[in-house]
Amino acid sequence: MRYISTRDDSSTPARKTFTDILLGGLAPDGGLYLPESYPQITRAELDAWRGLSYAELAFAVISKFVDDIPADDLKALIDKTYTASVYCNGRNPELAAEITPVRWLEPGLGLLELSNGPTLAFKDMAMQLLGNLFEYVLEKRGETINILGATSGDTGSAAEYAMRGKRGIRVFMLSPHNRMSAFQRAQMFSLQDANIFNIAVRGMFDDAQDIVKAVSNDHEFKSRYKIGAVNSINWARVLAQTVYYVRAYLAGTRSNDEQIVLSVPSGNFGNICAGHIARMMGVPIARLVLATNENDVLDEFFRTGIYRPRGTAETMVTSSPSMDISKASNFERFVFDLVGRDPNVVRALWASVDAGGSFDLTGTPHFARLPTFGFASGKSCHADRLATIRRIHEQYGIMVDTHTADGLKVAAEHRLPGISTLALETALPAKFEETIVEALGMTPARPASMVGIENLPQRVEVMDVDVDAVKRYIERHCN
Ligand SMILES: *Cc1c(COP(=O)(O)O)cnc(C)c1O
């Protein structure tokens, strides 16, 4: 399996291996990496896979995309990642062993639990594997990496819990000082591992993000201090997520004659991109339901064919904050497939996007082909979120988090007769207490290990919005 860039229009495109692109981000031409072609899942494989454990299934799927890590090593890395103790979250051992159990609300409608990892959000599903893959590849090459990132909440904690204590890896995570919830701060800042560095900047998330960009654009500094990233465009993250789409199909159906509808709360298009890939591999997914919050760029595209990313000033702060995104960083991967994998078309479309503009596929053959990709979309606002959290609690006695509520709201608008629907649960309600209290007047339960986490000692360096100060801090801690 080789990987190509969505923007490589040369007559002999560069063909990279999995480990070539594992540690990097964008391709040098600004595009995103995708496999040259999607390996297919045969009917016989789907039949055989019904009996597999999560880790066995993960190996079956991921090994189709990786040919430069010896199979035994890859298997060991996957086995050590997807264990009941990592994805336990205080549940009974049998449920924990399923890693991503389905919780049926009623016949034909269920939740795919993806949030039982260490930070209570689906990002652990991929990030934990990334931590183990990074450590393995760095050790083989005798290299080290300093991961620099900015977070408004979920990504930073998932990255830190995946990389803590890993050899050859340091994490420098910037966050906006006093802007995250007390729980999110405690999750990150209470980590005492020597390779984890939290930096709170006196500014907003965008200020933190701008510092990361500025440091990464200093090529001399970047290469001297081996600065890397683990952001949502990382191919290995998308690949690891593909596994649970296959799992969702197998767990949500009784035989391979059935199809399934899957609903996905979306921001950067990373999660649902993995669903698209599973569908391209032949998993019988009848519909991928894309749910946005008030920041509805993606819903707008799937309804109209117009992709109109917005600026920071136009991005709303909502009660499903992990979807407060107005430029979907993984969307280019889908559009590459939509336009028949023509890098020239992608280049032309993103020339406009990267210049702060938009594109409109209305009336083009590309837009005419859109329905064949199985997407449906919708949006959910604060009032919908509260109503859904209340309705699910009243009808089924289950608390869902705000993002999952957006997914359930839009799922209800796109169900298909005779086909089961699974809504992907992207976080646990304990992470977003305030809105749960607003909706239900009660506080969601926390896993025992996180009770009182706010009272633990915290390690964080508070700084002004100052690129040089961050660079000096990294220098001081790299020796
Ligand atoms: C990151 C995140 C999302 C959005 O996922 P994308 O891959 O960015 O589309 C949704 N819900 C939660 C809880 C998240 O942390």
Side-chain angles (χ1 to χ4, degrees):
M1 174 60 66
R2 292 293 178 271
Y3 293 87
I4 52 171
S5 162
T6 51
R7 297 192 194 177
D8 192 345
D9 56 359
S10 54
S11 53
T12 50
R15 301 169 70 243
K16 304 274 180 83
T17 69
F18 178 78
T19 61
D20 285 342
I21 63 167
L22 174 67
L23 302 170
L26 291 176
D29 55 24
L32 303 182
Y33 288 111
L34 271 179
E36 262 181 337
S37 64
Y38 295 116
Q40 295 299 298
I41 299 174
T42 64
R43 237 347 235 275
E45 281 175 316
L46 266 191
D47 286 333
W49 289 358
R50 283 190 176 267
L52 299 186
S53 71
Y54 192 91
E56 288 167 340
L57 179 68
F59 178 72
V61 174
I62 292 172
S63 59
K64 285 178 179 281
F65 293 88
V66 180
D67 57 14
D68 62 340
I69 296 177
D72 288 347
D73 290 358
L74 183 62
K75 181 143 195 356
L77 291 169
I78 289 172
D79 285 346
K80 129 170 152 186
T81 303
Y82 297 109
T83 67
S85 60
V86 174
Y87 295 93
C88 166
N89 172 24
R91 297 168 309 158
N92 76 53
E94 209 170 296
L95 260 188
E98 280 186 53
I99 311 295
T100 60
V102 169
R103 197 200 285 217
W104 291 104
L105 302 177
E106 61 182 48
L109 179 65
L111 284 175
L112 180 73
E113 293 191 19
L114 298 175
S115 308
N116 295 305
T119 72
L120 313 187
F122 86 97
K123 294 193 169 70
D124 291 326
M125 290 301 302
M127 205 70 93
Q128 287 286 319
L129 180 64
L130 206 64
N132 289 327
L133 284 168
F134 270 39
E135 184 179 50
Y136 171 87
V137 169
L138 290 166
E139 188 166 350
K140 285 262 158 192
R141 297 183 180 170
E143 290 174 10
T144 60
I145 196 171
N146 291 304
I147 292 166
L148 176 64
T151 186
S152 55
D154 293 341
T155 309
S157 56
E160 291 188 354
Y161 279 75
M163 305 295 168
R164 60 189 294 200
K166 293 270 187 281
R167 283 182 306 270
I169 304 176
R170 290 188 195 88
V171 178
F172 295 90
M173 192 57 66
L174 275 57
S175 58
H177 184 44
N178 283 337
R179 304 267 169 194
M180 295 192 296
S181 73
F183 179 78
Q184 286 176 318
R185 285 201 300 267
Q187 261 194 324
M188 289 176 52
F189 302 168
S190 66
L191 288 179
Q192 299 298 327
D193 306 78
N195 70 329
I196 302 295
F197 301 93
N198 287 300
I199 302 172
V201 296
R202 293 187 189 89
M204 307 291 283
F205 168 71
D206 293 305
D207 298 315
Q209 180 84 14
D210 286 346
I211 294 176
V212 171
K213 280 187 199 149
V215 174
S216 305
N217 284 336
D218 179 342
H219 298 288
E220 201 270 324
F221 185 89
K222 186 179 174 190
S223 74
R224 175 140 45 105
Y225 289 97
K226 305 184 180 68
I227 302 293
V230 289
N231 42 26
S232 89
I233 58 163
N234 182 288
W235 163 252
R237 282 181 66 182
V238 177
L239 174 56
Q241 290 166 183
T242 304
V243 176
Y244 58 71
Y245 282 87
V246 185
R247 185 72 162 186
Y249 173 73
L250 297 171
T253 57
R254 274 152 306 196
S255 88
N256 297 334
D257 297 324
E258 293 177 34
Q259 298 194 75
I260 198 152
V261 175
L262 299 172
S263 165
V264 190
S266 295
N268 264 322
F269 205 82
N271 193 351
I272 203 164
C273 185
H276 160 68
I277 290 168
R279 193 173 175 279
M280 298 295 277
M281 293 173 77
V283 179
I285 298 169
R287 202 170 249 184
L288 285 165
V289 179
L290 182 147
T292 69
N293 64 16
E294 290 88 336
N295 298 294
D296 59 351
V297 230
L298 289 170
D299 176 41
E300 180 175 352
F301 173 79
F302 283 98
R303 279 185 300 101
T304 65
I306 299 169
Y307 182 56
R308 193 171 55 87
R310 326 228 166 117
T312 328
E314 275 183 284
T315 308
M316 284 192 262
V317 176
T318 76
S319 47
S320 42
S322 304
M323 291 152 55
D324 290 348
I325 285 160
S326 298
K327 202 178 217 170
S329 52
N330 276 288
F331 187 51
E332 184 171 333
R333 289 195 159 108
F334 170 69
V335 171
F336 183 63
D337 286 339
L338 178 67
V339 302
R341 301 200 132 211
D342 184 340
N344 292 301
V345 177
V346 171
R347 266 177 185 275
L349 296 175
W350 259 269
S352 161
V353 169
D354 289 342
S358 59
F359 62 75
D360 182 355
L361 298 184
T362 322
T364 66
H366 312 306
F367 191 57
R369 272 163 36 97
L370 185 57
T372 64
F373 288 88
F375 281 85
S377 79
K379 78 186 253 193
S380 164
C381 65
H382 185 69
D384 298 318
R385 211 164 288 138
L386 296 182
T388 305
I389 292 170
R390 284 191 199 111
R391 180 173 65 76
I392 299 292
H393 191 250
E394 274 162 25
Q395 276 183 296
Y396 311 109
I398 288 172
M399 273 192 206
V400 292
D401 102 286
T402 52
H403 308 76
T404 308
D406 291 333
L408 280 161
K409 186 262 181 187
V410 178
E413 298 161 359
H414 293 289
R415 293 183 65 181
L416 290 170
I419 298 181
S420 290
T421 295
L422 291 182
L424 274 59
E425 172 215 67
T426 55
L428 291 192
K431 276 199 116 158
F432 302 96
E433 261 178 19
E434 214 174 286
T435 310
I436 305 298
V437 170
E438 185 182 347
L440 300 175
M442 57 177 120
T443 312
R446 273 190 197 180
S449 63
M450 293 189 186
V451 174
I453 179 177
E454 290 93 336
N455 304 323
L456 295 175
Q458 300 193 353
R459 279 175 70 227
V460 59
E461 177 92 7
V462 181
M463 282 188 203
D464 288 331
V465 178
D466 178 346
V467 176
D468 279 323
V470 171
K471 285 183 180 167
R472 298 297 88 78
Y473 181 87
I474 294 173
E475 282 167 7
R476 278 204 306 282
H477 293 89
C478 281
N479 298 309

